[in-house]
Amino acid sequence: AKDSVLASQILSPVAMLASALSLVTPSLVTPAPGRVAPMQRSADVSMAAKDSVTAGQVAGMAAAVLAVGVQSASAGPFTRTDIASLTYQQIKGTGLANTCPVVEQVDGMKTEIKVGGNYKIDEFCLEPTSFQVLEEKLTKSGVVTEAVDTKVTTRQTYVLTGMEGDLVQKDGKLTFLEKDGIDYAPTTVQLPGGERVPFLFTVKNLVAQSDGATSSISPGLKMSGGFNVPSYRTGLFLDPKGRGTTTGYDQAVALPALQAGGDESLFKENNKKFDVGRGSIELKVTSVNAELGEFGGVFVQKQPSDTDLGSKVPKELLLKGQFFGTVVPN
């Protein structure tokens, strides 16, 4: 009798956790009824209960679910139709908000968007998937520049999206003039040695032209151009010594002897400035859906890193990824 009571006391928490697990429904990862079911990557995680699972395994699974909460396991890629079929709760915590849509594939679809008259590019999105820092390396043949892989330390907030701008023809070439949208994202990457490189991922005031005279967007189209890279820090930022561009001290308060001169070695640290650099980007269209006005492809971008308000020499970053956009009447 004592053994049976003891066994019931041990299994009670297991039964409670198993009951909690059974209450978890897949509603958070299922699109709203009557809408398009989203695609899933092969790396998606699925939790399926098996008849042969022991009580201890059930308890462990239930504890894990209760500890981290209920989240969708899907992470794309999704089309605009798929994203429109999902609710906020289904997207929250999945990383889907940090991705670009993909062009919807339909059998027999037209793959050429004719551009004539007053048009613009809307919902333009850039999703970097590779972050590299260009560093000079001394070899036997001399100094060479190599791309060093890095690790992103920023949370999933570095995708540029919702951008728009005019799509016009200049000298027979298609030209995209970026005007508005979420066109900058403060991002930080870490080199293999531990050094962290902050930069402002952006395409502000992008002017991109096609590589040849054309009046349509189709697979194989290449566009390239330049853009502005504003300072990673803004005017109200104060460094650890309380120095800034528009506020704060003119120099380090802990060094009063430098007030009479002799601050040449700290000139860049004291003389804060808002640097605006230049970057370049190349885009190649790989997929087009003319009926929906969608196009997408891959891009390669080069831009400088943060200068810490003028006190550091910027590094060059090489970003690669995919883009998406739509063509609509302006």
Side-chain angles (χ1 to χ4, degrees):
K2 291 182 179 181
D3 292 341
S4 61
V5 172
L6 182 60
S8 63
Q9 291 176 348
I10 294 176
L11 292 177
S12 294
V14 175
M16 293 174 63
L17 290 174
S19 176
L21 179 63
S22 65
L23 295 176
V24 178
T25 64
S27 60
L28 292 182
V29 296
T30 305
R35 294 182 177 179
V36 178
M39 297 177 293
Q40 295 186 357
R41 286 180 179 164
S42 59
D44 289 353
V45 180
S46 62
M47 293 180 57
K50 297 180 179 180
D51 296 336
S52 60
V53 175
T54 63
Q57 291 173 329
V58 171
M61 293 168 61
V65 170
L66 295 176
V68 302
V70 180
Q71 294 183 350
S72 169
S74 301
F78 289 84
T79 64
R80 286 194 303 164
T81 305
D82 297 332
I83 294 175
S85 71
L86 300 174
T87 65
Y88 169 78
Q89 290 295 336
Q90 290 171 321
I91 296 175
K92 180 182 177 182
T94 64
L96 177 59
N98 194 53
T99 61
C100 291
V102 295
V103 175
E104 188 165 343
Q105 301 295 323
V106 180
D107 293 337
M109 67 180 184
K110 296 181 180 179
T111 59
E112 184 178 18
I113 302 176
K114 294 289 185 179
V115 180
N118 195 12
Y119 282 84
K120 72 173 184 178
I121 291 181
D122 197 18
E123 299 183 40
F124 188 59
C125 178
L126 290 174
E127 179 188 349
T129 56
S130 171
F131 299 82
Q132 295 176 314
V133 174
L134 300 179
E135 289 191 333
E136 292 184 348
K137 183 179 180 181
L138 182 60
T139 63
K140 293 182 180 179
S141 58
V143 179
V144 296
T145 302
E146 65 175 7
V148 181
D149 293 331
T150 64
K151 179 180 67 175
V152 181
T153 59
T154 304
R155 292 193 176 189
Q156 294 182 335
T157 56
Y158 50 79
V159 164
L160 307 184
T161 186
M163 295 178 286
E164 62 180 34
D166 295 334
L167 184 62
V168 299
Q169 279 192 309
K170 288 186 177 181
D171 301 327
K173 298 182 178 180
L174 280 181
T175 305
F176 172 46
L177 308 172
E178 191 271 337
K179 288 186 175 181
D180 198 8
I182 304 177
D183 53 9
Y184 69 94
T187 311
T188 302
V189 295
Q190 182 171 305
L191 291 168
E195 179 184 1
R196 293 192 173 183
V197 181
F199 67 99
L200 191 72
F201 175 44
T202 180
V203 287
K204 273 190 174 295
N205 308 123
L206 168 66
V207 178
Q209 279 192 325
S210 60
D211 58 352
T214 182
S215 60
S216 62
I217 298 178
S218 58
L221 175 67
K222 295 181 180 179
M223 302 182 72
S224 61
F227 54 88
N228 293 328
V229 183
S231 173
Y232 181 84
R233 308 289 188 185
T234 59
L236 298 180
F237 174 77
L238 297 179
D239 69 3
K241 298 293 185 181
R243 298 167 295 192
T245 55
T246 59
T247 60
Y249 298 105
D250 292 332
Q251 61 185 21
V253 181
L255 303 173
L258 294 180
Q259 293 179 5
D263 62 344
E264 290 80 7
S265 60
L266 298 176
F267 177 76
K268 290 185 177 180
E269 294 285 351
N270 293 329
N271 185 33
K272 304 293 185 183
K273 60 181 180 178
F274 189 91
D275 286 326
V276 179
R278 290 289 295 174
S280 61
I281 188 172
E282 295 183 3
L283 306 105
K284 181 179 180 180
V285 178
T286 59
S287 182
V288 176
N289 186 327
E291 285 79 5
L292 299 178
E294 299 178 348
F295 68 100
V298 294
F299 76 92
V300 178
Q301 176 172 325
K302 185 179 179 182
Q303 70 166 82
S305 68
D306 174 40
T307 65
D308 200 10
L309 294 176
S311 63
K312 296 179 180 178
V313 178
K315 295 179 180 293
E316 289 290 337
L317 287 114
L318 187 67
L319 310 177
K320 302 174 185 178
Q322 57 190 18
F323 72 90
F324 174 87
T326 61
V327 178
V328 296
N330 196 353

